[in-house]
């Protein structure tokens, strides 16, 4: 088992509730899980969140870029502090910018220069960068997750929702 990233859509009511919870970790985690169970707009990119961020931005998730919509696509905009798990939300007003950045990003070109060695040197999660024979499979997974992320943000935009990411 490792750290996996899940994305779901929040309604205005859910977002308001989340903001009102303060730092009650157990309440936050239970509520977000309950909302995710009810949400049909789920995106699960499993363990590929760090490498996807690296492909999109050139840096690992240890170096979040607050004003970069590609970084925000993977890590959300507003982290919820003092939780044992990573959680961040993105308000609806930012979703269109994130979607536009994803749609303008040339993933094919980025994957042409994809380098397992660079991933290893950046110490990206998960630690699979010594398996050169799996490079094509990994690139296919990154492409798939990227395309699914575009679909997710388009649906969140269309439903006028907000997004939440959890990495646990």
């Amino acid at each position: 088992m490792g750290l996996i990233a899940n994305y779901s859509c929040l309604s205005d009511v859910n977002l308001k509730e989340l903001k009102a919870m303060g730092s009650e970790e157990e309440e936050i985690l239970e509520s977000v899980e309950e909302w995710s169970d009810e949400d049909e707009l789920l995106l699960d990119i499993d363990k590929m969140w760090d490498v996807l961020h690296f492909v999109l931005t050139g840096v690992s998730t240890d170096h979040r870029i607050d004003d970069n919509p590609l970084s925000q696509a993977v890590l959300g905009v507003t982290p919820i502090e003092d939780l044992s798990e990573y959680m961040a939300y993105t308000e609806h007003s930012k979703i269109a910018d994130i979607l536009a950045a994803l749609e303008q990003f040339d993933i094919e070109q980025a994957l042409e220069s994809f380098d397992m060695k660079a991933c290893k040197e950046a110490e990206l999660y998960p630690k699979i960068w010594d398996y050169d024979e799996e490079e094509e499979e990994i690139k296919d997974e990154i492409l798939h997750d990227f395309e699914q992320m575009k679909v997710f943000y388009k649906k969140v935009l269309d439903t006028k929702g907000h997004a939440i990411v959890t990495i646990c």
Side-chain angles (χ1 to χ4, degrees), residues 41-145:
L41 296 185
L42 288 179
L43 171 64
D44 174 359
I45 60 170
D46 199 33
K47 297 176 178 72
M48 300 309 278
W49 46 271
D50 202 14
V51 70
L52 183 58
H53 189 273
F54 186 75
V55 168
L56 293 173
T57 66
V59 296
S60 78
T61 54
D62 290 341
H63 307 281
R64 76 178 281 126
I65 308 167
D66 288 332
D67 59 352
N68 181 325
L70 294 171
S71 181
Q72 294 168 345
V74 178
L75 292 174
V77 172
T78 308
I80 300 171
E81 303 296 333
D82 302 323
L83 297 181
S84 58
E85 300 176 358
Y86 180 84
M87 190 178 291
Y89 61 87
T90 302
E91 294 192 44
H92 181 75
S93 60
K94 301 279 190 190
I95 301 289
D97 290 344
I98 289 171
L99 181 61
L102 289 170
E103 288 177 339
Q104 290 166 13
F105 186 79
D106 188 342
I107 190 74
E108 300 288 344
Q109 182 181 353
L111 289 175
E112 279 178 27
S113 58
F114 180 78
D115 181 10
M116 299 276 279
K117 197 169 130 193
C119 293
K120 183 176 182 176
E121 287 169 4
E123 297 180 0
L124 299 181
Y125 183 86
K127 306 278 189 240
I128 55 174
W129 313 116
D130 289 327
Y131 305 106
D132 291 335
E133 69 278 3
E134 293 182 20
E135 183 171 339
E136 285 306 311
E137 193 178 313
I138 290 168
K139 286 164 73 170
D140 288 347
E141 194 170 341
I142 293 167
L143 177 60
H144 175 265
D145 290 342

Side-chain angles (χ1 to χ4, degrees), residues 142-159:
I142 293 167
L143 177 60
H144 175 265
D145 290 342
F146 174 78
E147 294 298 334
Q148 291 303 111
M149 187 169 271
K150 285 197 303 191
V151 169
F152 169 77
Y153 279 109
K154 172 98 175 73
K155 288 179 179 175
V156 172
L157 184 67
D158 291 347
T159 60

